[in-house]
Amino acid sequence: MVPKIIKTTTETGVVHFAVNGLSEKDWHLVKEMSECYPCIVPNFGLHPWFITERTPNWLKTLRGFLESTPAAAVGEIGLDKGSFGRKIDFADQVDVCRQQLQLAKELERPASIHCVRAFGDLLELLKSAGPVPAGFILHSYLGSAEMVPEFAKLGAYFSFSGFLMSMKEIKAKKMLKSIPKDRILLETDAPDALPKLSNPDSLYLIEKEASSADGTSSGGINDGNPSEKSPEEDKGNEQQAEEIHNHPANIHHVLSYVASLLELTKEELAEISFANASRLFSYEGSKVPVLCLTKLPWWLCVQGGPLQVLK
């Protein structure tokens, strides 16, 4: 499915995909995917949901992947107090996240951060660890407007996916308008965060063959149902009998929604997000040209290992 998904998406104007590894089990798959496809920007990280599975040498292994892959950023890392995350020792989550942030600082790479119901804890961690010079992404951000300035001071970029459509529009608009224009990013979080549209026929979907054999999600790592929980604190994925997977090409729907709330044209926001993503991902060794401006959006945060997400 990988060639077909990439071809369909690039034909809509997307230029690059950021693919996040979640654990030691899929870092080699992300690396392989990056080597096969020039458009793939690899990310290696230990997601909080998988820290109990780590080996004693996980940090050394992670460093090895990052040092041997100059194009790679750090991710997906983070903190989680959601319905699944709270089953995992939080002090351990903080320790693992801190070590990965330190690694990102040492290697001067940006980091992609997952945060569920732990924004206060994350802010404390970032303050104690110090600013991340290369910057970091708060992916699928659903935090409050009030916390934006403090995160921004520490180097945060705020990335938005279809999950934003689960937040009350008045709150979403207030939060978006609190974010500096040079810190806004767009993503799909595919295969999760399928946008909620009045006309779902316009959505791109990944065919059922891409799902795992047992019918469960092939790459989703979110918990709960946004319609039943506070979306400002939790990112969710409604468990359905038959999974429907988000497609990277749906970034255009995210673009349209965010642009409408910010009272910008789609072209204006596309140019802003592209410039921001180009700047963030233009570190030494990156595949991304420095500020190669265009009116076409490309920032995609594809969550999960390549075989999980794009079978």
Side-chain angles (χ1 to χ4, degrees), residues 44-57:
F44 305 118
L46 184 55
H47 187 280
W49 280 29
F50 301 99
I51 63 173
T52 57
E53 301 173 11
R54 71 189 188 276
T55 67
N57 294 320

Side-chain angles (χ1 to χ4, degrees), residues 110-248:
S112 179
I113 300 179
H114 163 103
C115 187
V116 173
R117 297 190 174 188
F119 285 106
D121 302 280
L122 178 61
L123 185 59
E124 288 183 19
L125 171 58
L126 289 165
K127 284 181 175 179
S128 65
V132 181
F136 61 92
I137 302 162
L138 294 179
H139 110 84
S140 284
Y141 185 70
L142 293 177
S144 68
E146 289 72 23
M147 299 192 80
V148 166
E150 291 192 86
F151 278 123
K153 287 178 185 177
L154 294 167
Y157 286 73
F158 303 82
S159 189
F160 301 99
S161 70
F163 282 128
L164 186 67
M165 298 176 186
S166 297
M167 180 183 279
K168 289 183 179 179
E169 187 173 311
I170 189 170
K171 287 191 174 183
K173 190 169 187 175
K174 177 183 178 183
M175 181 262 286
L176 283 169
K177 287 185 173 285
S178 72
I179 296 171
K181 292 289 195 301
D182 63 353
R183 298 301 180 89
I184 293 175
L185 297 174
L186 303 175
E187 63 172 285
T188 57
D189 199 9
D192 295 312
L194 188 69
K196 294 183 177 181
L197 304 179
S198 57
N199 177 23
D201 291 340
S202 64
L203 287 169
Y204 289 85
L205 299 175
I206 295 177
E207 291 83 347
K208 287 200 298 184
E209 301 94 281
S211 302
S212 57
D214 62 1
T216 59
S217 173
S218 62
I221 58 170
N222 296 293
D223 60 290
N225 181 347
S227 65
E228 298 174 353
K229 295 185 178 182
S230 169
E232 293 84 350
E233 297 180 312
D234 208 349
K235 303 191 296 292
N237 177 31
E238 182 177 350
Q239 296 303 308
Q240 302 174 356
E242 185 174 344
E243 293 289 338
I244 300 176
H245 297 297
N246 194 8
H247 192 292

Side-chain angles (χ1 to χ4, degrees), residues 75-146:
E76 184 174 337
I77 68 176
L79 303 177
D80 194 308
K81 285 184 173 179
S83 59
F84 188 89
R86 62 171 172 258
K87 301 173 186 177
I88 301 167
D89 182 78
F90 192 69
D92 201 20
Q93 291 189 42
V94 171
D95 183 56
V96 169
C97 186
R98 185 189 300 276
Q99 292 182 70
Q100 293 181 96
L101 283 172
Q102 183 59 39
L103 188 56
K105 292 169 66 173
E106 288 179 22
L107 299 179
E108 298 182 342
R109 312 280 180 91
S112 179
I113 300 179
H114 163 103
C115 187
V116 173
R117 297 190 174 188
F119 285 106
D121 302 280
L122 178 61
L123 185 59
E124 288 183 19
L125 171 58
L126 289 165
K127 284 181 175 179
S128 65
V132 181
F136 61 92
I137 302 162
L138 294 179
H139 110 84
S140 284
Y141 185 70
L142 293 177
S144 68
E146 289 72 23

Side-chain angles (χ1 to χ4, degrees), residues 57-80:
N57 294 320
W58 73 272
L59 189 60
K60 182 179 179 180
T61 303
L62 177 57
R63 179 184 287 275
F65 270 96
L66 289 166
E67 290 181 340
S68 66
T69 315
V74 178
E76 184 174 337
I77 68 176
L79 303 177
D80 194 308

Side-chain angles (χ1 to χ4, degrees), residues 22 26 29 50 191 210 217-219 303-311:
L22 305 178
D26 67 10
L29 301 176
F50 301 99
S217 173
S218 62
Q303 197 162 262
L307 294 189
Q308 291 175 304
V309 176
L310 301 175
K311 281 187 180 178

